Amino acid sequence: QSVLTQPPSVSGAPGQRVTISCTGSSSNIGAGYDVHWYQQLPGTAPKLLIYGNNNRPSGVPERFSGSKSGTSASLAISGLQAEDEFDYYCQSYDSSLSGWLFGGGTKLTVL
Amino acid sequence: QLQLQESGPGLVKPSETLSLTCTVSGGSINNRNYYWGWIRQPPGKGLEWIGTIYYSESTYYSPSLKSRVTISVDTSKKQFSLKLSSVTAADTAVYYCARHVGYDYVRGSYRLPSEYYYYYMDVWGKGTAVTVSS
């Protein structure tokens, strides 16, 4: 069971803004470790979407943004498009586990 | 552009050892800015970190798998490898290798290797499916 908790699914209409939460604890996000986000189409490799809480790698649209506060982080997607239908995973480091960990993943559905 | 490619048997018998190799191309495996790791994804489930290695010097393993996992690097072959012993059906998954990096956007430079807890996975292999079955 992941110690980073994400909602199993979120949905939104085209053009809308959706957010995906990632709730951790004092041994990971709350300890100050960065949160990173990945985008995955089932059957393919994950792709880095956001690193260092709120930074976008080259080629990632500005519609994607990240934030972190306390023991939680969020991924926001504005101007939702049909091609945004992916699974999204948050990732951080946990001092209790002494290792990297992923959230359980969130499936985004564009209505 | 750096690429990673996993290879190994697609079918492993229960109680045996799963062995996979990740070959690095288009870049150096010796770059001390990077760590190298393995992540898996059981069918229909989420991503699970298995373990990570730094330049043959340090290894980090998931506590839940630590007793069964060994990760090693062969820099001469530009490869790093995963061995998972005593496998069961629960180890059936797609296995990915990935490069870990820690770029500090604010400072505009790579984080020190000792700051590995800030690292993330920026390059992934395509993954290889492994089924554990007799």
Side-chain angles (χ1 to χ4, degrees):
Chain A
Q1 188 170 354
S2 302
V3 293
L4 296 181
T5 302
Q6 298 181 233
S9 64
V10 297
S11 62
Q16 283 189 334
R17 180 179 186 270
V18 297
T19 61
I20 298 172
S21 61
C22 176
T23 302
S25 67
S26 59
S27 62
N28 41 70
I29 299 175
Y33 299 121
D34 284 350
V35 178
H36 320 288
W37 292 89
Y38 302 85
Q39 182 187 64
Q40 185 188 34
L41 194 62
T44 67
K47 169 192 169 185
L48 179 66
L49 191 66
I50 296 287
Y51 70 93
N53 305 315
N54 55 12
N55 302 296
R56 287 174 287 103
S58 174
V60 174
E62 292 183 6
R63 304 186 294 106
F64 294 89
S65 62
S67 63
K68 187 184 92 166
S69 179
T71 58
S72 296
S74 291
L75 173 70
I77 308 171
S78 60
L80 204 58
Q81 300 178 6
E83 53 262 39
D84 296 332
E85 280 203 345
F86 288 92
D87 294 330
Y88 293 86
Y89 292 89
C90 60
Q91 177 251 308
S92 187
Y93 182 87
D94 191 281
S95 57
S96 296
L97 299 175
S98 296
W100 290 262
L101 73 161
F102 291 91
T106 299
K107 179 178 179 59
L108 170 63
T109 300
V110 181
L111 301 172
Chain B
Q1 185 171 350
L2 187 130
Q3 293 184 317
L4 304 177
Q5 178 65 60
E6 305 89 349
S7 59
L11 180 64
V12 182
K13 290 182 168 57
S15 80
E16 294 189 344
T17 295
L18 179 161
S19 296
L20 297 176
T21 297
C22 183
T23 301
V24 178
S25 61
S28 174
I29 197 172
N30 288 323
N31 191 318
R32 287 190 174 265
N33 285 320
Y34 305 132
Y35 284 59
W36 307 92
W38 290 93
I39 299 97
R40 71 181 183 179
Q41 186 170 35
K45 296 188 178 180
L47 301 169
E48 178 186 17
W49 171 69
I50 300 171
T52 296
I53 189 166
Y54 178 66
Y55 206 65
S56 297
E57 294 176 359
S58 305
T59 51
Y60 308 83
Y61 299 133
S62 168
S64 64
L65 298 171
K66 188 173 185 176
S67 63
R68 300 193 291 130
V69 173
T70 302
I71 296 176
S72 58
V73 168
D74 186 334
T75 55
S76 65
K77 294 182 178 179
K78 297 184 70 174
Q79 295 177 337
F80 60 104
S81 300
L82 168 70
K83 291 188 185 300
L84 181 65
S85 64
S86 305
V87 298
T88 69
D91 295 310
T92 293
V94 174
Y95 286 75
Y96 297 99
C97 58
R99 185 179 76 175
H100 297 14
V101 68
Y103 187 79
D104 188 330
Y105 185 84
V106 175
R107 293 187 299 188
S109 63
Y110 287 101
R111 291 188 178 274
L112 298 172
S114 58
E115 298 177 303
Y116 57 86
Y117 33 83
Y118 289 108
Y119 281 38
Y120 49 90
M121 296 86 171
D122 70 329
V123 180
W124 295 67
K126 293 183 178 180
T128 186
V130 178
T131 300
V132 178
S133 175
S134 56

